[in-house]
Amino acid sequence: QVQLVESGGDLVQAGDSLRLSCAASGRTLSTYGLGWFRQAPGKEREFVAGIKWSGDGTLYADSVKGRFTISRDNAENTVSLQMNSLKPEDTAVYYCAADRLRYRSSPIATSKAYNYWGQGTQVTVSS
């Protein structure tokens, strides 16, 4: 059974940076795509960023493109999300997730493609 544990959430001010991390245990995820999603109060969960199993392909939501960077360390079984120039609208619970398929050719934004999820970490950006 795969377990994903996020960390790094915090209360920050607009314009600040924050780095989220997600550690996987129970199985190596080096052959699975990984993604970050977020859910704000009263809103549906939305895709933020995804990274190919090999690390050489990434995908971002338009709302975070140019500000957020996803990366992975297959040796450590971790995925990270570097968030710069944070805005109040980035406030949400952030979740990491693992793709249900191995060796997918490119990252995917559809939540149904992911079958392992962490419990989430809260990011709050004050104006």
Side-chain angles (χ1 to χ4, degrees):
Q1 184 73 7
V2 175
Q3 287 189 321
L4 301 174
V5 179
E6 303 93 338
S7 62
D10 204 349
L11 169 63
V12 297
Q13 293 188 335
D16 284 353
S17 297
L18 203 58
R19 185 176 182 87
L20 304 182
S21 295
C22 174
S25 61
R27 181 194 298 176
T28 178
L29 296 181
S30 61
T31 57
Y32 295 85
L34 298 170
W36 285 94
F37 289 75
R38 67 187 182 187
Q39 187 167 19
K43 295 187 177 181
E44 294 186 353
R45 188 174 298 187
E46 65 174 359
F47 171 79
V48 175
I51 187 166
K52 185 179 174 180
W53 64 272
S54 54
D56 60 349
T58 57
L59 179 67
Y60 296 93
D62 288 343
S63 59
V64 307
K65 202 172 295 183
R67 299 188 298 122
F68 290 11
T69 302
I70 187 172
S71 60
R72 67 186 297 161
D73 186 333
N74 283 344
E76 296 293 328
N77 224 20
T78 60
V79 60
S80 298
L81 185 69
Q82 177 66 41
M83 306 186 294
N84 299 329
S85 302
L86 283 162
K87 304 175 181 180
E89 50 263 43
D90 295 318
T91 295
V93 177
Y94 283 72
Y95 301 89
C96 67
D99 197 334
R100 65 176 63 248
L101 295 180
R102 301 176 68 190
Y103 302 118
R104 194 185 295 272
S105 59
S106 59
I108 190 166
T110 307
S111 62
K112 291 183 179 180
Y114 297 82
N115 64 339
Y116 291 109
W117 295 82
Q119 293 300 306
T121 186
Q122 176 70 48
V123 173
T124 303
V125 184
S126 64
S127 57

